[in-house]
Amino acid sequence: MSGFWYTAAIATTFSALFSLIIGFNQASFAPQAAVGNLKKTAATTTPDNKSDPSAQTYNQALELANQAVKAHQAAIAASKAGEAARSLSFARRERSLWQHTLSMLGKIPAESEWHQQSSEKKTLYLRLSANAEGKIIDGDSDFLAEIVRTAGIDPSLVHITLCQIEPPQIEASRRAVKEGQQSNPTAYADQVVSDRCREHQGNQLMASPASLIKLPIAVVLMHKVTTENIDLNQKIFIDPGNFTENAEEAHIDIGQSYPLREVMARMITESNNIATNQLIDYLGRDYLAKTLSQLGYSQTLVDHKLVGDQAMPANAGTLANELTSNEVTTMMANIYSLAAPGDEELLHALLNQRDLELGHAGLKDLGPKVTWLGEKTGQNNQMIGSTLAVKIGLNRYALTVAIDGGGDAYAIQQIVHGVAVYILETGPLVSNLAI
């Protein structure tokens, strides 16, 4: 690992990286080719009352709709030419233009003479936007499988989930619309961002979560301390019964007391097994199960404590832990959207991850347009995997890659690298739209 990369990704202060992570700029696209003889579809006669603000807005929406039609025709032409990646890029542009068209039409007030026409257009454009979305999802599913095949790995052994992370302000607004807490004329955008994830076997259980299970434990811990007003500086005792072997770089003394914040941070940053076992006791298995269910993680199970080479901790548990790449990626996306109180603590721990041999290593040669933003890794004789956050271009993503049967670090690196290159070449999964 080069000294430059270490300085940029690890030694940068938390405050500086935090500003980078939550920063957001809206992306835009330029068409790569002009396509002639376009069919007349979406737009119709435009109003000629230039002084009417609603008429101006309606005109702007129709102009965007015409651009969307051109992008649609360009996608078809590229597909016929066998240029799948280029066709997908045009489909993304088409979807983005439909979204912006709908946003413009949503600004026309009900009392305007153009409201009826705008409502009719919105009905049509929503269908066209959904059609573009369907083409993108199909293309992206193929893209993940192709990356796995290129890496030379049996696709049946691989779990991948990729989610575009919403900026904090977009996430908050989206949730408010979803929960009916506000009236918004462009609530259709909630339908768009709900499709911001792609997956390959993402809803199937990994052979083992290994140390990836530590992220759900951390999520439940932060839920407890924030809902029950527990001070993270409160100390907890490290019971000798929770001893097991740790990795060489992981350290915590049994028989001593540590602040909750430090125990959680050690569990994530140095993948500390003893700290993990103590937090399972602190939270309790019933509370872990209940909270994970309340938070919507129905496929995640925390029951068995972590075991090193030989030493079995007391009250180790009877059921194997369970996790899917879909749910752990959702956890990462929520953390980096600052969706819940205390997410800053989790984000800080992920940023200080010491194991840089998987996701981080797969990204380090991709240049300034790609920035590693934090990670949690896991490996045992049943699975190797990583869940990470990365900024690619102007957007942030949560990505989980897990390979059943052990595998090796290089295979994870190849897949992570391939996903990042794909996004660089084809653009974001979802064109961000403020709502």
Side-chain angles (χ1 to χ4, degrees), residues 208-224:
S208 166
S211 286
L212 293 184
I213 202 66
K214 294 169 181 175
L215 187 64
I217 295 170
V219 167
V220 173
L221 174 66
M222 294 312 302
H223 177 82
K224 182 178 180 67

Side-chain angles (χ1 to χ4, degrees), residues 148-166:
V148 173
R149 287 191 290 268
T150 300
I153 305 166
D154 182 352
S156 68
L157 300 177
V158 183
H159 309 260
I160 306 175
T161 305
L162 171 69
C163 292
Q164 188 167 321
I165 300 172
E166 292 299 303

Side-chain angles (χ1 to χ4, degrees), residues 32-69:
Q32 298 178 21
V35 179
N37 301 320
L38 299 175
K39 294 180 180 179
K40 184 179 179 182
T41 56
T44 55
T45 305
T46 59
D48 55 9
N49 186 352
K50 304 297 184 181
S51 63
D52 181 355
S54 293
Q56 294 175 22
T57 300
Y58 189 78
N59 275 333
Q60 291 170 4
L62 295 186
E63 289 173 5
L64 288 170
N66 280 325
Q67 293 179 41
V69 171

